[in-house]
Amino acid sequence: MPVSFGQLCSVFKLRIGVAIAFTALAGLAVTPGGSAVPLWKVAVLVLAVLMASASAGAFNQYIERDYDHLMARTRNRPFVTGALRPGWHWPALMATLLTTAVTLAGLALGSIAALHVFLGAFFYGVVYTVWLKRRGWINIVIGGLAGSFAVLAGAASADGVGVALAPASWLFAAVLFLWTPPHFWSLAMAKCDDYAAAGIPMLPVVVGDRRAAQVILAHTLALVGVSLLPAAFGLGPIYLACAAVGGALFCWRSVRLALAPGKATAMANFYASLIQLCLLLVGAYSEFWLQ
């Protein structure tokens, strides 16, 4: 049976890859000199991050194919249904994608940018998927570094060297690091039965909804506080306004979740986290216009 385009998008997690590429562009935007980077280098950055993310996403699905049938949200993945058959060619393709991505980034953007491209894929594919995911609730906290490395790859592309990045670049990477846990824990609370059935110790499975909701609120408050700091290091009023509006929405939904933990409030908080991220990216991109 021929493989559909939708199935390939699913295997390589292209929607997540596109989101990660947007965060890399945000890292480029918030770094002084980002607007002066040639368009062809911007294209290489996007392509390299997309390829590295696709490699890590496919590796995640390939490694977890024996467990994904236990969860309703993953049981229709192509490796589970048999639409795609495992074999040596899949790991070879993933390795080729990652090697090509890192090589392209190294040649066009510099060794530090290439290192961050590699680390983003490595942390998601190996540190999170293989090492941490089934060991404890801390899994997504460390795994969230994957998004931070995309920001740093973009920042290093603007910086030209990437060793001594501007404070706003590091802070925006920290924002992505802090954003991932409350975002994913909210989804995990809404899908708690799935994760419990699969034996994956996500925070709501380990400590229960009420305690998890309290931890999510604490993380959200820390995230929003840090997300405002880049405005003190050169980012303009558009960024500050976007961070404030998105942060207020996420805080409000997190408070509602803490007051009434449950699947509905968890999904509302999950969507609020996506809105906040979109607003943060819009605020970051405004720096292209202001530079």
Side-chain angles (χ1 to χ4, degrees):
M1 183 192 311
V3 180
S4 70
F5 177 74
Q7 288 174 323
L8 287 176
C9 288
S10 170
V11 168
F12 292 105
K13 297 190 174 183
L14 291 186
R15 287 189 299 178
I16 295 176
V18 169
I20 293 175
F22 278 128
T23 65
L25 288 176
L28 179 71
V30 302
T31 304
S35 61
V37 174
L39 186 58
W40 71 269
K41 286 192 175 185
V42 176
V44 170
L45 171 66
V46 170
L47 180 61
V49 170
L50 272 175
M51 292 176 68
S53 174
S55 171
F59 182 77
N60 171 273
Q61 290 206 19
Y62 189 82
I63 290 295
E64 297 192 336
R65 64 189 186 277
D66 293 332
Y67 302 99
D68 279 345
H69 72 280
L70 298 173
M71 297 176 62
R73 63 185 293 263
T74 58
R75 64 176 54 141
N76 291 321
R77 286 176 171 176
F79 282 122
V80 179
T81 63
L84 295 177
R85 297 187 178 278
W88 65 268
H89 55 286
W90 283 108
L93 175 59
M94 298 163 201
T96 300
L97 276 173
L98 182 57
T99 301
T100 304
V102 173
T103 302
L104 280 174
L107 292 174
L109 308 172
S111 59
I112 302 300
L115 176 62
H116 288 137
V117 169
F118 169 77
L119 288 175
F122 178 78
F123 264 76
Y124 183 76
V126 177
V127 175
Y128 170 66
T129 300
V130 177
W131 182 30
L132 293 176
K133 189 169 183 178
R134 296 184 175 275
R135 291 177 181 268
W137 65 267
I138 200 73
N139 48 19
I140 198 62
V141 177
I142 306 302
L145 281 170
S148 299
F149 283 122
V151 173
L152 294 176
S157 302
D159 180 76
V161 179
V163 177
L165 295 176
S169 306
W170 289 109
L171 284 170
F172 202 77
V175 168
L176 264 294
F177 174 69
L178 291 171
W179 176 84
T180 304
H183 163 77
F184 199 87
W185 285 334
S186 297
L187 178 64
M189 186 183 295
K191 306 292 183 181
C192 190
D193 294 342
D194 261 6
Y195 286 106
I200 301 174
M202 290 300 175
L203 182 68
V205 176
V206 175
V207 303
D209 285 358
R210 184 163 297 279
R211 179 59 179 157
Q214 294 169 350
V215 176
I216 288 171
L217 175 58
H219 272 258
T220 301
L221 293 173
L223 159 67
V224 173
V226 174
S227 72
L228 298 173
L229 291 179
F233 292 92
L235 270 64
I238 298 177
Y239 173 83
L240 180 59
C242 289
V245 172
L249 173 64
F250 199 5
C251 284
W252 176 61
R253 283 298 185 184
S254 292
V255 169
R256 294 287 300 272
L257 176 61
L259 292 174
K263 289 180 171 57
T265 49
M267 281 307 297
N269 204 48
F270 173 77
Y271 290 126
S273 72
L274 292 175
I275 293 171
Q276 187 212 23
L277 178 61
C278 290
L279 286 171
L280 286 171
L281 293 177
V282 169
Y285 297 150
S286 71
E287 295 303 306
F288 274 130
W289 311 323
L290 298 175
Q291 286 182 25

